[in-house]
Amino acid sequence: LFQEVLVEAKKNLERNKVEADLVLSRVQDYQGGPFDVIVCNPPYFQTADKSLVNTNPYLAAARHEEYLTPQDLFSSARRLLKGNGRLYMVHRAACINRISETAYANGFAVRTMQIAYEKRGGRGKSVLFCFQYGSGSDVLVKAPVYLDDRDTFARLEEPV
């Protein structure tokens, strides 16, 4: 895939004082684990018309489900997570139903959910999810995040 993304990922880890082992692999092919947590910002767009796929290979991989569909993500997460592990994901707010249905079909339940808005009074832009395999408890819907007011930005955390 894209070897040079590891360089940027390492810089990001250093900037944020986080220690981690980085591996370059398609999640569908990865054989490591099991993990307590998987964090993912998956591609957002289903693009049947290939002429609409971004010509920049980095952007195409990041934005279009050419390399990773929600089904692939959840089936891989189920294989790679420990029994009580969590999958944290950000996705488009308009896709809440599709993402939730795919999660449930793979044995995951939503633990927490938080909508991010570009500005107060605007439409939901993103949704922050925490999924857990086999967890059927109620969903904790956290207070909204307003991206134009970064002081109110709250991290998505597990319920207390």
Side-chain angles (χ1 to χ4, degrees):
L1 291 170
F2 307 114
Q3 188 69 32
E4 50 279 358
V5 299
L6 286 178
V7 173
E8 292 304 316
K10 287 177 185 174
K11 289 179 189 175
N12 193 7
L13 290 172
E14 289 171 7
R15 255 191 314 273
N16 290 289
K17 297 177 177 60
V18 173
E19 288 188 35
D21 294 324
L22 299 176
V23 176
L24 186 60
S25 171
R26 288 172 38 103
V27 69
Q28 301 96 313
D29 301 330
Y30 188 70
Q31 296 301 315
F35 298 101
D36 293 312
V37 172
I38 295 174
V39 179
C40 185
N41 180 5
Y44 293 159
F45 302 108
Q46 295 175 308
T47 311
D49 182 351
K50 301 300 180 206
S51 70
L52 298 176
V53 174
N54 199 299
T55 57
N56 178 314
Y58 297 97
L59 296 178
R63 295 181 181 166
H64 303 283
E65 293 180 1
E66 296 277 315
Y67 296 102
L68 181 66
T69 66
Q71 174 58 40
D72 289 340
L73 173 61
F74 282 103
S75 64
S76 296
R78 183 174 176 181
R79 178 176 52 81
L80 294 170
L81 282 171
K82 291 180 180 176
N84 62 345
R86 289 187 169 82
L87 170 64
Y88 291 89
M89 175 196 302
V90 60
H91 212 287
R92 293 175 48 225
C95 296
I96 288 174
N97 287 342
R98 182 169 72 99
I99 297 302
S100 297
E101 288 169 3
T102 306
Y104 296 139
N106 283 277
F108 285 88
V110 178
R111 292 280 309 228
T112 59
M113 185 172 78
Q114 186 173 30
I115 306 289
Y117 295 84
E118 194 69 44
K119 60 183 179 180
R120 292 180 188 272
R123 289 185 174 189
K125 179 178 176 115
S126 301
V127 60
L128 307 171
F129 284 113
C130 173
F131 296 99
Q132 187 172 18
Y133 182 73
S135 174
S137 61
D138 292 338
V139 176
L140 173 63
V141 179
K142 300 189 76 160
V145 173
Y146 301 99
L147 300 177
D148 65 344
D149 184 6
R150 300 294 170 134
D151 292 336
T152 64
F153 190 85
R155 289 181 45 207
L156 178 66
E157 299 173 338
E158 67 179 70
V160 179

